[in-house]
Amino acid sequence: MTDSTSPALFEYLLRLGDDRLVLGHRLSQWCGHAPILEEDIALANIALDLVGQGALLLKLAGATEGQGRSEDALAYHRDAVEFRNALIVELPKGDFAFTIVRQFLVSVASYFQLEALTKSAHAELAGIAAKAVKETRYHVRHAGEWVLKLGDGTEESHHRAQDALDALWRYTGELFMGDEVDAALVRAGVAPDPASLEPAWRAQATDVLRRATLQLPADVYMQRGGRTGRHTEHLGHMLAEMQIVARSHPGAEW
Amino acid sequence: MTDSTSPALFEYLLRLGDDRLVLGHRLSQWCGHAPILEEDIALANIALDLVGQGALLLKLAGATEGQGRSEDALAYHRDAVEFRNALIVELPKGDFAFTIVRQFLVSVASYFQLEALTKSAHAELAGIAAKAVKETRYHVRHAGEWVLKLGDGTEESHHRAQDALDALWRYTGELFMGDEVDAALVRAGVAPDPASLEPAWRAQATDVLRRATLQLPADVYMQRGGRTGRHTEHLGHMLAEMQIVARSHPGAEW
């Protein structure tokens, strides 16, 4: 990396890390609340994978910036405006259908993103992506099977899954919107153009959604803001809860 | 197993399963609240192991009783008086020191219990124990390292760890108290006499606690009640939270 791409690289790694940290935290809110033990364990395992991926990416982000903050400093001592996750991952967990449909839409996008990043010119990032893409393949399969069960299940489960899809669709566009940060990293061979990942995502997502007898929402205005720190109020509430222990006792172990 | 030991076996499996399910749930309450990401992930992994062990043991319990309840029915549709866990695992999570000291005391006991159960005449139980004892070896090491760090750490961390040990000690005795349920299973070669596990537990626990510069509490009256359903109020509160989703939507996936 040249020096001129370092600020862009830091921003990009925050986006990658925050997407996973925030989604992992949202998913971990099911801990002990899922309606069946097996699913409680499966969701917690996926949440752990995501928090683990987020921690690795934030650690690399910290090593990239001048200040050299740790992954803990980045996770626990940034305010909402400093977070760079897409809005879709910060929305409250909702019901089980909402959680599953979001998990599916985001996991498929993450899968193609990570797959492209395994070929990154940045060796450490490529290494993290190689590990994460294997985990994400399982996340896609798990969520996809549930989307089929819910969408093509009872009237109630179909209705809830369709409501979730309708509510979430307007947040999917942000996952594929690029800006000057992405452009700099594309030029350096570090990252893919987000827009280039959209067709594969759309093909896989719509295939599963159609088989689940769910109706694709009409084209809607796509929400954005997370990549530049303009978040929903939900992120602030979530961070308040996530950060309280670390902030109450700086440097201590409680 | 002869028919006459089946009710005892069911009771015994509930004790084994509930100890792990309840402790796993208490530990999962740290999800997203630990002060460092690495520890958040470690605690969540241990919680997952425990809930997984609990689910296997409750599944076996369900297969043992006449009604044939599933592990989900046993986890989500029993009231507090029907739970058979020792009181020590149901106490609120407290601060990090309390969580760690409890985790250490219980994990060491669980380790020796599971090790004995690998030789059980009940093949399925022996199989579950063989898997669980490997996980528990790691739990002991993890908690033991933290006990040393906290006890032999700062004045504040030492103080908190000592407070935790003083509060928890009176609940350790119940882990080694036997009754007619244990006696029946000892006769059938299915389970060890709980009292026979106490010396090894005490030796290992006191060794680590002394190295952590913690003072062993004086002999106190040991609390009991969990094995016969006489629980603290804390279990009821915890179960209300853990069971609400499953009970609100019986048979559904939310």
Side-chain angles (χ1 to χ4, degrees):
Chain A
M1 296 296 297
T2 61
D3 281 350
S4 65
T5 57
S6 272
L9 179 60
F10 177 67
E11 277 292 308
Y12 184 72
L13 291 170
L14 286 187
R15 294 174 183 186
L16 288 178
D18 288 346
D19 276 355
R20 287 153 184 87
L21 179 68
V22 172
L23 184 61
H25 192 77
R26 279 292 181 219
L27 203 52
S28 82
Q29 293 177 328
W30 282 95
C31 261
H33 291 88
I36 38 181
L37 282 171
E38 191 185 338
E39 194 50 28
D40 198 278
I41 294 171
L43 291 181
N45 262 315
I46 294 171
L48 268 175
D49 285 346
L50 289 168
V51 173
Q53 292 174 8
L56 287 174
L57 290 160
L58 292 181
K59 189 175 180 176
L60 187 57
T64 302
E65 69 163 350
Q67 293 176 257
R69 280 177 285 180
S70 71
E71 66 272 31
D72 292 321
L74 288 170
Y76 297 122
H77 295 281
R78 278 183 301 153
D79 294 326
V81 294
E82 300 167 271
F83 271 73
R84 293 294 176 263
N85 58 278
L87 299 177
I88 192 169
V89 297
E90 74 196 42
L91 303 174
K93 76 184 207 306
D95 65 13
F96 187 68
F98 187 90
T99 283
I100 286 296
V101 172
R102 165 167 62 188
Q103 204 60 35
F104 174 70
L105 295 171
V106 175
S107 295
V108 174
S110 176
Y111 177 79
F112 289 115
Q113 183 184 43
L114 291 167
E115 190 185 47
L117 285 170
T118 62
K119 297 160 213 147
S120 171
H122 191 299
E124 278 171 282
L125 178 53
I128 293 171
K131 177 177 180 294
V133 77
K134 285 181 208 154
E135 296 168 348
T136 307
R137 188 177 297 133
Y138 166 72
H139 302 175
V140 168
R141 197 170 66 220
H142 177 268
E145 282 167 8
W146 269 112
V147 167
L148 291 171
K149 263 191 249 186
L150 297 178
D152 198 14
T154 64
E155 197 176 325
E156 169 81 1
S157 72
H158 175 85
H159 179 66
R160 284 175 182 254
Q162 185 67 56
D163 282 354
L165 182 61
D166 292 344
L168 283 159
W169 196 252
R170 75 197 63 211
Y171 294 98
T172 56
E174 191 177 24
L175 297 170
F176 308 105
M177 291 176 186
D179 61 10
E180 69 288 352
V181 167
D182 298 285
L185 294 169
V186 169
R187 281 194 301 276
V190 169
D193 177 0
S196 72
L197 307 170
E198 206 266 354
W201 171 83
R202 183 174 290 263
Q204 183 165 347
T206 56
D207 172 57
V208 172
L209 295 172
R210 286 208 175 103
R211 284 194 286 132
T213 74
L214 293 170
Q215 189 141 24
L216 279 190
D219 280 343
V220 289
Y221 177 76
M222 288 291 173
Q223 302 294 316
R224 70 186 303 177
R227 300 304 188 202
T228 51
R230 288 176 293 116
H231 291 281
T232 67
E233 60 176 9
H234 307 298
L235 182 65
H237 298 315
M238 195 200 92
L239 291 180
E241 190 196 290
M242 185 181 103
Q243 297 176 331
I244 189 167
V245 178
R247 291 195 179 198
S248 308
H249 304 279
E253 304 297 357
W254 340 96
Chain B
M1 295 296 298
T2 60
D3 281 350
S4 65
T5 57
S6 273
L9 179 60
F10 177 67
E11 277 291 308
Y12 185 71
L13 291 171
L14 287 186
R15 294 174 184 186
L16 289 178
D18 288 347
D19 276 355
R20 286 153 184 89
L21 179 67
V22 172
L23 185 61
H25 192 78
R26 279 291 181 219
L27 203 52
S28 81
Q29 292 177 330
W30 282 96
C31 261
H33 292 88
I36 37 181
L37 283 171
E38 192 185 338
E39 194 51 29
D40 197 277
I41 294 170
L43 291 182
N45 262 316
I46 294 171
L48 269 174
D49 285 346
L50 290 168
V51 174
Q53 292 173 9
L56 287 174
L57 290 159
L58 291 182
K59 189 175 180 178
L60 188 56
T64 302
E65 68 164 351
Q67 293 176 256
R69 280 177 285 180
S70 71
E71 65 271 33
D72 292 321
L74 289 169
Y76 297 121
H77 295 280
R78 279 182 301 153
D79 293 326
V81 294
E82 300 166 273
F83 271 72
R84 293 293 177 264
N85 58 278
L87 300 177
I88 192 170
V89 298
E90 74 195 41
L91 302 174
K93 76 185 208 304
D95 65 13
F96 187 67
F98 187 89
T99 284
I100 286 295
V101 172
R102 166 168 60 189
Q103 204 59 33
F104 174 70
L105 295 170
V106 176
S107 296
V108 174
S110 176
Y111 177 80
F112 290 115
Q113 182 184 44
L114 291 168
E115 191 185 47
L117 286 170
T118 62
K119 297 161 213 147
S120 171
H122 192 298
E124 278 170 281
L125 178 53
I128 294 172
K131 177 178 179 293
V133 77
K134 285 181 208 155
E135 296 168 349
T136 307
R137 188 177 297 132
Y138 165 73
H139 303 174
V140 168
R141 198 171 65 221
H142 177 269
E145 284 168 6
W146 268 112
V147 167
L148 290 170
K149 263 191 250 187
L150 297 177
D152 197 14
T154 65
E155 197 175 323
E156 167 82 0
S157 72
H158 175 85
H159 179 66
R160 283 175 182 255
Q162 185 67 55
D163 282 355
L165 183 60
D166 292 344
L168 284 159
W169 196 252
R170 75 196 63 212
Y171 294 98
T172 57
E174 191 178 21
L175 297 170
F176 309 105
M177 292 176 186
D179 62 9
E180 70 288 353
V181 167
D182 299 285
L185 294 169
V186 169
R187 281 195 301 274
V190 169
D193 177 359
S196 72
L197 307 170
E198 205 267 353
W201 171 83
R202 182 175 291 262
Q204 183 165 348
T206 56
D207 173 57
V208 172
L209 295 171
R210 286 209 175 102
R211 284 194 286 132
T213 73
L214 294 170
Q215 190 140 25
L216 278 189
D219 280 343
V220 289
Y221 177 78
M222 287 291 172
Q223 303 294 317
R224 70 185 304 176
R227 300 304 189 204
T228 51
R230 288 175 293 116
H231 291 281
T232 67
E233 59 176 10
H234 307 298
L235 182 66
H237 298 314
M238 195 200 93
L239 292 180
E241 190 196 290
M242 186 182 102
Q243 297 176 330
I244 189 167
V245 178
R247 291 196 179 197
S248 308
H249 304 278
E253 304 297 357
W254 343 94

